[in-house]
């Protein structure tokens, strides 16, 4: 049996249509939408991501303010750039691209972002709201993982709540920007969730946990970490990893954390790399920028989320909780 391949490009395309109509609606109402990106130094991955966002913002008619800061800039100088964007009326969402140079404490920079413009939920206030199950913004990569899962479940006619309630979700990788938010989103769907990091891999081996997963989310940044022997036959596998690899032709191309060739024939469904989580992540960031523009115009997070074309998946399964503003 061969897995269904979950098409991230198609999901991104339909999500983009929703975001485009939200942008048009807001603009017609006179609400400006602007994305600011802050890149410190020159890093291959950040530069490529920023170029994709520039193209997407232009396509959607969103203002894009690029702030390029030299790698030698001090922490205070980077914080000043962020403060300037906080008060810039043309900017509704701020993204500080990782990694920052090692002499800069990224948490100090993240704390400087106005929480209402913090579209990746890196400010402690937004990270806390996400952990409590009442997010203002859902970080784009974790949001995309669950958007792909949710839309795939819809496509195969499985009830989302029934599926998540009986599922074990194993998240490989525990970073603040991907692994932990994905774990929070799993909890919000009332799934059973396990988090595995490199220490589990070094001690008992990652497969001891992953083999039991109904849903396996892999965000470790290790090419080909997950192989056929690490997965169960019924698993749905979401590969977040993006790892540059030089092919036989000498060209650099991207591969995931999952060994697609050996895993795909064994599991129920799988995302490819490229063409899986990545394209959705880009659109989700723009979607969060629209959400931020709504919040800045005076809406509560709840009202802003409800006003968008596509519902927020993070609220699935948290109907008993009400979204509360922290400020
Ligand atoms: P990170 O380096 O910040 O965190 C990696 C995590 O994986 C850590 O918790 C680490 O302990 C864990 N880990 C490392 N080796 C492991 C192993 N052998 N077994 C289990 N856990 C292990 O990385 P990140 O920012 O979370 O990104 C992870 C990957 O996802 C990278 O390849 C990155 O490029 C990719 N990424 C993709 C998108 C997208 O849109 N598709 C977005 C962000 C990051």
């Amino acid at each position: 049996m061969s897995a269904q391949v979950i098409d991230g490009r198609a999901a991104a395309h339909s999500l983009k249509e929703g975001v485009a109509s939200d942008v048009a609606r807001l603009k017609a109402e006179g609400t400006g939408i602007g994305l600011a990106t802050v890149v410190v130094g020159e890093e291959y991955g950040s530069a490529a991501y920023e170029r994709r966002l520039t193209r997407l913002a232009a396509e959607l008619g969103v203002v894009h303010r690029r702030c390029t800061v030299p790698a030698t800039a001090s922490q205070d100088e980077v914080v000043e750039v962020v403060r300037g964007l906080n008060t810039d009326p043309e900017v509704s969402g701020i993204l500080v691209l990782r990694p920052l140079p090692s002499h800069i404490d990224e948490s100090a920079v993240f704390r400087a972002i106005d929480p209402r413009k913090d579209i990746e939920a890196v400010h402690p206030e937004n990270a806390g709201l996400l952990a409590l199950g009442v997010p203002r913004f859902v970080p784009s990569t974790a949001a995309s993982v669950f958007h792909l899962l949710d839309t795939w479940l819809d496509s195969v006619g499985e009830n989302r709540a029934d599926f998540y309630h009986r599922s074990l979700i194993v998240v490989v990788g525990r970073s603040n920007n991907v692994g932990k938010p994905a774990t929070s989103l799993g909890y919000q769907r009332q799934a059973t969730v396990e988090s595995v990091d490199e220490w589990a891999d070094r001690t008992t081996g990652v497969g001891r946990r992953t083999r039991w997963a109904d849903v396996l989310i892999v965000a470790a940044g290790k090419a080909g970490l997950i192989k056929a022997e690490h997965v169960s036959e019924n698993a749905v596998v979401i590969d977040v990893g993006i790892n540059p690899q030089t092919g036989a032709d000498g060209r650099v191309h991207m591969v995931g954390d999952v060994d697609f060739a050996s895993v795909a024939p064994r599991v129920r469904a799988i995302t490819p790399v490229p063409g899986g989580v990545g394209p959705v992540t880009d659109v989700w960031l723009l979607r969060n920028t629209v959400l931020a523009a709504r919040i800045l115009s005076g809406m509560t997070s709840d009202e802003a989320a409800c006003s968008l074309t596509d519902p927020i998946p993070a609220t699935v399964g948290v109907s008993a909780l009400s979204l509360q503003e922290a400020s």
Side-chain angles (χ1 to χ4, degrees):
M1 203 181 81
S2 205
Q4 289 181 23
V5 177
I6 301 173
D7 185 348
R9 291 199 178 100
H13 182 76
S14 58
L15 192 66
K16 193 162 81 178
E17 285 179 353
V19 176
S21 73
D22 289 331
V23 169
R25 200 152 37 93
L26 261 73
K27 281 179 149 184
E29 292 168 12
T31 305
I33 308 155
L35 167 68
T37 48
V38 180
V39 178
V40 185
E42 284 170 27
E43 209 270 327
Y44 174 80
S46 301
Y49 185 30
E50 199 198 30
R51 273 197 301 276
R52 292 204 307 274
L53 292 175
T54 303
R55 274 199 300 274
L56 188 58
E59 224 180 292
L60 290 166
V62 169
V63 171
H64 183 200
R65 182 76 46 83
R66 295 176 66 224
C67 301
T68 310
V69 184
T72 49
S74 69
Q75 183 174 301
D76 287 349
E77 284 167 332
V78 178
V79 165
E80 266 320 298
V81 170
V82 169
R83 292 210 173 112
L85 296 169
N86 285 344
T87 54
D88 185 333
E90 282 210 328
V91 170
S92 34
I94 301 170
L95 170 71
V96 178
L97 281 107
R98 288 181 167 112
L100 293 173
S102 56
H103 66 277
I104 295 177
D105 171 11
E106 67 173 25
S107 68
V109 176
F110 294 162
R111 277 198 305 273
I113 302 174
D114 179 340
R116 295 167 310 156
K117 295 189 176 188
D118 174 30
I119 49 177
E120 274 295 55
V122 292
H123 188 285
E125 181 177 308
N126 288 321
L129 286 169
L130 178 67
L132 290 172
V134 286
R136 178 185 279 136
F137 298 107
V138 182
S140 55
T141 308
S144 303
V145 165
F146 279 89
H147 182 71
L148 287 173
L149 281 169
D150 290 342
T151 49
W152 175 77
L153 286 169
D154 295 346
S155 75
V156 295
E158 279 219 38
N159 180 281
R160 292 185 191 184
D162 289 348
F163 176 85
Y164 287 120
H165 293 170
R166 66 166 188 268
S167 287
L168 169 66
I169 299 178
V170 176
V171 182
V172 180
R174 199 178 288 161
S175 69
N176 287 341
N177 55 318
V178 187
K180 284 181 193 163
T183 304
S184 293
L185 297 188
Y187 289 145
Q188 284 163 27
R189 284 161 173 75
Q190 276 104 28
T192 304
V193 186
E194 279 187 4
S195 158
V196 180
D197 82 341
E198 58 189 320
W199 289 106
D201 193 28
R202 283 187 206 180
T203 52
T204 58
V206 74
R208 184 167 179 233
R209 301 289 174 197
T210 58
R211 266 191 292 275
W212 299 101
D214 301 297
V215 175
L216 182 60
I217 299 167
V218 193
K222 297 276 156 68
L225 173 70
I226 300 298
K227 303 201 168 19
E229 65 267 28
H230 299 131
V231 295
S232 87
E233 286 179 6
N234 248 334
V236 180
V237 180
I238 308 290
D239 188 356
V240 181
I242 303 177
N243 308 290
Q245 209 165 63
T246 308
D249 57 359
R251 296 177 62 163
V252 175
H253 59 110
M254 298 299 158
V255 298
D257 288 353
V258 177
D259 176 26
F260 189 89
S262 75
V263 172
R266 185 173 163 82
V267 296
R268 189 173 173 203
I270 188 168
T271 58
V273 177
V277 176
V280 186
T281 302
D282 297 353
V283 182
W284 204 277
L285 192 84
L286 271 299
R287 182 188 184 281
N288 278 354
T289 309
V290 176
L291 195 64
R294 279 287 199 216
I295 291 170
L296 288 165
S297 75
M299 284 187 175
T300 65
S301 305
D302 215 2
E303 289 165 347
C306 291
S307 75
L308 299 188
T309 303
D310 289 303
I312 282 197
T315 57
V316 173
V318 289
S319 51
L321 298 170
S322 63
L323 197 65
Q324 290 167 359
E325 283 299 309
S327 61

